[in-house]
Amino acid sequence: MVYTKFVQKNRGRGPANEKELEDFLNSLPQADLDAMGITDKSTVLISPRDGQRYGVVGKVDMTMMTGGGPRRERLGARTGRVTRPP
């Protein structure tokens, strides 16, 4: 959900890297976090499956994509597994 909100605010462009997405998350007002059901920002970019931080595929043009955008789990990246974004 955070990735999708970033893309909406940036005219279809995904974040350049993890830091840009994290900075965006930290800049969101509490009302936006509440609307997304986020109670703990520190867990949003962590995969519940493997406990590792998500990697961000940088600068993706999302204007032609559906499903919330690409992201990968660090361990899953070795297997080519792609997961849904937060």
Side-chain angles (χ1 to χ4, degrees):
M1 291 171 79
V2 174
Y3 192 102
T4 301
K5 191 159 193 71
F6 180 97
V7 170
Q8 290 169 345
K9 296 245 182 203
N10 289 279
R11 293 190 238 184
R13 180 188 64 82
N17 52 44
E18 295 166 38
K19 181 167 179 3
E20 187 175 19
L21 184 60
E22 186 172 12
D23 290 347
F24 176 75
L25 170 63
N26 290 327
S27 74
L28 290 173
Q30 189 62 46
D32 287 355
L33 297 172
D34 292 343
M36 289 186 280
I38 297 172
T39 56
D40 183 2
K41 289 192 280 187
S42 68
T43 63
V44 172
L45 302 177
I46 306 291
S47 167
R49 190 183 67 78
D50 65 11
Q52 300 291 314
R53 286 182 59 87
Y54 287 112
V56 172
V57 179
K59 297 183 181 177
V60 174
D61 179 359
M62 298 296 296
T63 58
M64 301 301 286
M65 297 180 98
T66 61
R71 74 171 185 206
R72 61 179 169 77
E73 294 176 329
R74 292 187 185 283
L75 297 177
R78 287 182 273 214
T79 63
R81 178 187 217 120
V82 177
T83 61
R84 256 185 84 87

